[in-house]
Amino acid sequence: MGNNIQAPRGTYDVLPDQSAKWQEIEAKIIELCNLYQYKEIRTPIFEHTELFQRGVGDTTDIVTKEMYTFQDRGDRSLTLRPEGTASVVRSFVENKLFGLPDQPVKLFYTGPMFRYERPQAGRMRQFVQFGVEAIGSKDPAIDAEVISLAMELYRSVGLKRLRLVLNSLGDTESRIAHREALVKHFEPRINEFCSDCKTRLEKNPLRILDCKVDRDHPLMATAPSLADYLNEESQAYFDQVKMYLDELGIEYVIDPNLVRGLDYYNHTAFEIMSDAEGFGAITTLCGGGRYNGLVEDLGGPESPGIGFAMSIERLLLALEMEKVEIGQSQNLEVYVIAMDDASKKKAFGIIKELRSNGISADMDYTGRKLKAQMKSADRKGAAYVIVMGETEMASGQVALKEMATGEQQTVAFADIAGTITKKKSLEE
Ligand code: ATP
Ligand code: MG
């Protein structure tokens, strides 16, 4: 490493020319969550390791292979959060949000998550997720609401090539029946599968269907489908979710093999994929589902929940693939050029005055010549330029030059901010 320190593998910097995109997405998220009445929750970046072992499930890839876990100086085992749901549910229980008069409690979060993965496009070790959780209702309408919020965010930034994939994992009874069928199906030939799948057969055979190593094994295609094991209640629930989606005009395809990566899902499971050309192997933009039972597992009263999570990184990739441009950065309004030290002092006061009036203003801090400063004003897209020297200092007036038209107007020092404010209000 030596003198040559670089960002850790799987991390990256959002540089200034990219941050307007992030800000636009974050603004859309806040606006949309307000429309849908989801309130923001902010939880710690690290939690007790046990939370994720119990909340995400200790047969998942996340818990077995991907967590950043460390001992702190007090010898506690802590983990950088790999996902948001476990923390939100912990907070829901710990802060007794189940006692609030208005249920379900509708929450959203955005923030960095950490997973030890093989980095590639759309798969980072630190990435930012936006997620929502609606906890305290098992009304299928809330499933449809959560799904529609995710779809709406993608649409609002301009994505079109979206595919919603839907499945039902059923309730516990349905899953036990299916589980038995899976064990019967895979057990006789489990030797032909990877070592992870051998463990999964005992611990959670459903996860074999999600295996990335053995996905082409012939037994995968013929495996018993959950759809055939849904009991009446689970089937009715699924039908209702579909009915509400139909009501919203949201199209979906059913994929009976969609099983989500986390252990806690039941009933509704969904993913939103991108069909845009140019995407590599990774086309999933968003994943979510219902997790009745998780709140109880983490020590709370019965509170059925549903949520989703999506990463901003994959959203940005989808924008790139669909060639949608967002995040126009805000141009500078006024650039003040000072010709000498005395006018620089005055100019410094003037830009402060402009800023106090909500007008963006900037000046040179590197002692450049007039011509170089003019170029700089151009690059920054300044709407107005003011040049100040001895004459201006003597008269107490400046020429306010509008760059788009070349028009100049003589204005007293004290009236600069007011004049620009007036011009801005006329433009609107
Ligand atoms: P995958 O199968 O791609 O690994 P996952 O099942 O691990 O996905 P989830 O845990 O459901 O993903 O996370 C929800 C969403 O978060 C994903 O759909 C994706 O948009 C995003 N995501 C997950 N892992 C990463 C990562 N390492 N880098 C960037 N985004 C990620
Ligand atoms: Mg993963």
Side-chain angles (χ1 to χ4, degrees):
M1 188 165 299
N3 302 325
N4 201 4
I5 299 181
Q6 297 183 323
R9 194 166 140 74
T11 70
Y12 63 97
D13 305 304
V14 178
L15 295 174
D17 64 340
Q18 292 296 309
S19 47
K21 289 185 188 180
W22 285 80
Q23 289 166 353
E24 183 169 331
I25 293 167
E26 284 156 5
K28 285 252 155 68
I29 287 172
I30 292 170
E31 185 189 327
L32 199 61
C33 286
N34 182 43
L35 290 174
Y36 281 71
Q37 285 291 289
Y38 286 69
K39 307 279 186 211
E40 187 176 16
I41 182 166
R42 300 188 187 201
T43 62
I45 301 279
F46 57 81
E47 298 268 3
H48 292 291
T49 303
E50 196 192 342
L51 172 66
F52 302 115
Q53 288 167 339
R54 279 171 46 188
V56 179
D58 44 23
T59 64
T60 57
D61 279 357
I62 290 182
V63 171
T64 56
K65 300 177 192 160
E66 296 174 356
M67 294 205 303
Y68 280 92
T69 298
F70 60 97
Q71 299 292 121
D72 76 359
R73 287 168 195 272
D75 231 19
R76 302 168 190 90
S77 179
L78 298 174
T79 294
L80 299 184
R81 62 182 186 191
E83 56 100 54
T85 305
S87 305
V88 170
V89 170
R90 179 209 38 78
S91 178
F92 178 88
V93 173
E94 190 171 339
N95 296 291
K96 302 194 171 56
L97 301 189
F98 48 79
L100 292 176
D102 284 313
Q103 302 285 322
V105 178
K106 304 206 289 185
L107 304 165
F108 80 93
Y109 58 85
T110 43
M113 305 294 164
F114 306 85
R115 296 185 193 178
Y116 193 79
E117 309 217 50
R118 264 212 4 242
Q120 50 187 294
R123 196 179 290 291
M124 307 303 291
R125 290 184 174 171
Q126 175 174 337
F127 57 101
V128 176
Q129 275 188 341
F130 158 55
V132 314
E133 315 290 350
I135 312 175
S137 165
K138 52 179 183 200
D139 185 334
I142 200 88
D143 299 41
E145 176 178 286
V146 162
I147 293 171
S148 86
L149 198 166
M151 292 296 283
E152 200 54 39
L153 180 73
Y154 291 125
R155 288 202 190 118
S156 75
V157 293
L159 292 175
K160 298 207 164 65
R161 317 259 346 240
L162 302 166
R163 181 162 35 100
L164 170 63
V165 183
L166 198 61
N167 191 20
S168 171
L169 305 178
D171 60 8
T172 315
E173 188 187 272
S174 313
R175 291 182 66 158
I176 289 174
H178 180 235
R179 185 196 162 105
E180 281 170 7
L182 283 173
V183 172
K184 239 194 217 151
H185 179 75
F186 286 112
E187 204 169 29
R189 292 173 66 183
I190 195 65
N191 294 332
E192 299 163 28
F193 285 76
C194 73
S195 63
D196 280 349
C197 280
K198 287 180 187 120
T199 319
R200 288 172 185 139
L201 185 71
E202 276 166 42
K203 285 196 169 164
N204 191 350
L206 188 64
R207 302 195 44 77
I208 296 178
L209 301 179
D210 204 20
C211 180
K212 282 160 189 148
V213 180
D214 294 315
R215 72 169 109 212
D216 297 325
H217 192 286
L219 281 191
M220 289 294 204
T222 55
S225 168
L226 240 169
D228 301 326
Y229 291 84
L230 291 186
N231 58 19
E232 219 171 292
E233 218 182 308
S234 300
Q235 187 59 55
Y237 192 90
F238 194 28
D239 290 342
Q240 292 262 310
V241 174
K242 290 188 274 189
M243 178 199 81
Y244 281 114
L245 287 173
D246 292 339
E247 178 61 27
L248 299 180
I250 296 176
E251 287 175 24
Y252 48 83
V253 289
I254 308 286
D255 177 358
N257 288 326
L258 173 71
V259 291
R260 303 271 316 122
L262 313 184
D263 266 359
Y264 48 62
Y265 286 110
N266 45 51
H267 289 288
T268 313
F270 69 95
E271 287 189 351
I272 300 170
M273 330 278 285
S274 170
D275 285 335
E277 272 154 51
F279 253 104
I282 304 172
T283 57
T284 304
L285 302 179
C286 172
R290 182 158 274 288
Y291 47 79
N292 302 347
L294 180 61
V295 175
E296 290 101 302
D297 283 352
L298 294 178
E302 188 187 340
S303 316
I306 177 156
F308 68 71
M310 63 171 72
S311 72
I312 309 302
E313 286 79 0
R314 288 197 197 169
L315 192 165
L316 287 167
L317 264 184
L319 287 169
E320 208 178 299
M321 297 307 152
E322 290 201 30
K323 302 194 169 54
V324 179
E325 303 253 358
I326 64 162
Q328 287 299 312
S329 64
Q330 292 271 305
N331 277 345
L332 175 63
E333 290 175 288
V334 186
Y335 192 85
V336 184
I337 297 174
M339 306 291 289
D340 53 55
D341 286 349
S343 38
K344 179 177 173 191
K345 188 162 159 260
K346 185 68 197 171
F348 197 58
I350 287 174
I351 63 171
K352 161 68 175 61
E353 177 71 14
L354 288 167
R355 291 165 176 170
S356 301
N357 283 279
I359 299 162
S360 64
D362 209 353
M363 63 188 284
D364 174 72
Y365 295 102
T366 56
R368 282 176 294 184
K369 297 254 161 31
L370 173 67
K371 212 171 140 193
Q373 292 197 40
M374 271 306 219
K375 274 196 185 147
S376 183
D378 241 14
R379 274 195 303 273
K380 290 168 186 277
Y384 299 95
V385 171
I386 294 169
V387 181
M388 289 176 63
E390 276 173 28
T391 325
E392 287 76 13
M393 290 301 286
S395 68
Q397 293 181 326
V398 297
L400 180 65
K401 181 171 179 186
E402 188 169 352
M403 298 306 277
T405 58
E407 260 169 51
Q408 302 217 24
Q409 184 180 344
T410 306
V411 185
F413 288 170
D415 297 334
I416 300 174
T419 306
I420 292 171
T421 304
K422 225 178 269 162
K423 283 174 172 285
K424 276 171 70 175
S425 70
L426 286 178
E427 279 165 24
E428 273 156 18

